[in-house]
Amino acid sequence: MITPIAVVAIVSAFLFFPKGQDDDQTYVMSDSNPFPELIEEEIEENETVLPPVPEPIVVDVKGAVQHPGVYSLSEGERLIDAIHAAGGYLPDADSRMLNHALKLTDEFVVYVPSVGEEPIDIIQTTTAGKSAGQNDGKVNINTADEQELMTIPGVGPAKAAAIIQYRTDHGLFKTPESLMEVSGIGQKTFEKLESQITVK
């Protein structure tokens, strides 16, 4: 009787124990990733790069347009977009000297003259779309836009914006010295800028 019992024990060990080991091995393998590089590549392919969002800007449209006023646009838009935002031209508008392709910047002022109207100094956008106020190398602080004002040594974005805001609130500069009425521009700063500016 001993021999059959031994045989049964050996057969049982052969049938049951290896199966348990295989189950353990199968569990361990399923918990790992045999091809991690494939998952990484799939994640990289699914990543999308969002395009940059244009910055909002505010422009002031004046003159011979349907609805003069202040409009919110996006950085990179053109002068023609500001005209459209204001409802388009009036029948007597003279747009021949306007550069419709001119890129707008924040605090930009667009003035549309009427037919027969004499050019006036309030045109801060340079109706011809050309360099406004370059006289013998000097910058006309009454007509220059923000980019042109920043060509003056010592004038950065903040001072250029302050100059344009002053023109909007108080009108044109009557003398170069009146630039000192702008916030942030004192006597010492003016002395550095005096040889670079004009009001003619």
Side-chain angles (χ1 to χ4, degrees), residues 18-19 22 28 33 36 39 67 79 92 104 113 130 153 155 160 164 171:
K19 184 177 180 181
D22 290 342
V28 172
N33 174 28
I39 293 181
H67 306 290
L79 188 144
D92 64 340
L104 301 174
K130 59 185 179 181
V155 175
I164 292 176

Side-chain angles (χ1 to χ4, degrees), residues 102 125-126 128-135 138-139 143-145 148 151:
L102 189 65
T125 60
T126 80
K130 59 185 179 181
S131 177
Q134 291 286 349
N135 296 318
K138 295 183 178 182
V139 176
T143 56
D145 61 21
E148 291 166 332
T151 64

Side-chain angles (χ1 to χ4, degrees), residues 119-189:
I120 57 177
D121 290 335
I122 194 174
I123 305 175
Q124 298 177 17
T125 60
T126 80
T127 54
K130 59 185 179 181
S131 177
Q134 291 286 349
N135 296 318
D136 298 328
K138 295 183 178 182
V139 176
N140 189 332
I141 57 175
N142 278 332
T143 56
D145 61 21
E146 187 172 350
Q147 296 298 322
E148 291 166 332
L149 289 170
M150 286 192 293
T151 64
I152 305 172
V155 175
K159 283 188 173 64
I163 292 172
I164 292 176
Q165 187 62 48
Y166 179 91
R167 293 191 319 220
T168 302
D169 296 341
H170 303 284
L172 302 178
F173 297 99
K174 293 181 172 49
T175 64
E177 288 77 12
S178 57
L179 186 64
M180 287 185 287
E181 297 176 13
V182 176
S183 176
I185 299 179
Q187 179 68 38
K188 292 183 179 180
T189 301

Side-chain angles (χ1 to χ4, degrees), residues 33 35-49:
N33 174 28
F35 304 106
E37 64 278 3
L38 296 181
I39 293 181
E40 291 177 359
E41 290 179 2
E42 184 178 351
I43 293 174
E44 290 177 359
E45 290 177 358
N46 291 334
E47 290 179 353
T48 57
V49 179

Side-chain angles (χ1 to χ4, degrees), residues 16-109:
F16 293 104
F17 286 104
K19 184 177 180 181
Q21 293 175 355
D22 290 342
D23 290 342
D24 292 341
Q25 291 176 357
T26 302
Y27 175 78
V28 172
M29 291 182 65
S30 63
D31 193 46
S32 63
N33 174 28
F35 304 106
E37 64 278 3
L38 296 181
I39 293 181
E40 291 177 359
E41 290 179 2
E42 184 178 351
I43 293 174
E44 290 177 359
E45 290 177 358
N46 291 334
E47 290 179 353
T48 57
V49 179
L50 297 177
V53 179
E55 292 291 331
I57 60 173
V58 178
V59 299
D60 189 4
V61 185
K62 303 176 182 290
V65 292
Q66 297 289 343
H67 306 290
V70 177
Y71 293 91
S72 295
L73 300 172
S74 297
E75 185 180 23
E77 291 195 84
R78 310 287 177 160
L79 188 144
I80 188 63
D81 297 312
I83 299 299
H84 288 159
Y89 294 117
L90 292 176
D92 64 340
D94 185 359
S95 63
R96 294 174 301 168
M97 298 300 290
L98 292 176
N99 179 4
H100 291 132
L102 189 65
K103 280 188 177 182
L104 301 174
T105 58
D106 193 34
E107 299 182 2
F108 209 90
V109 178

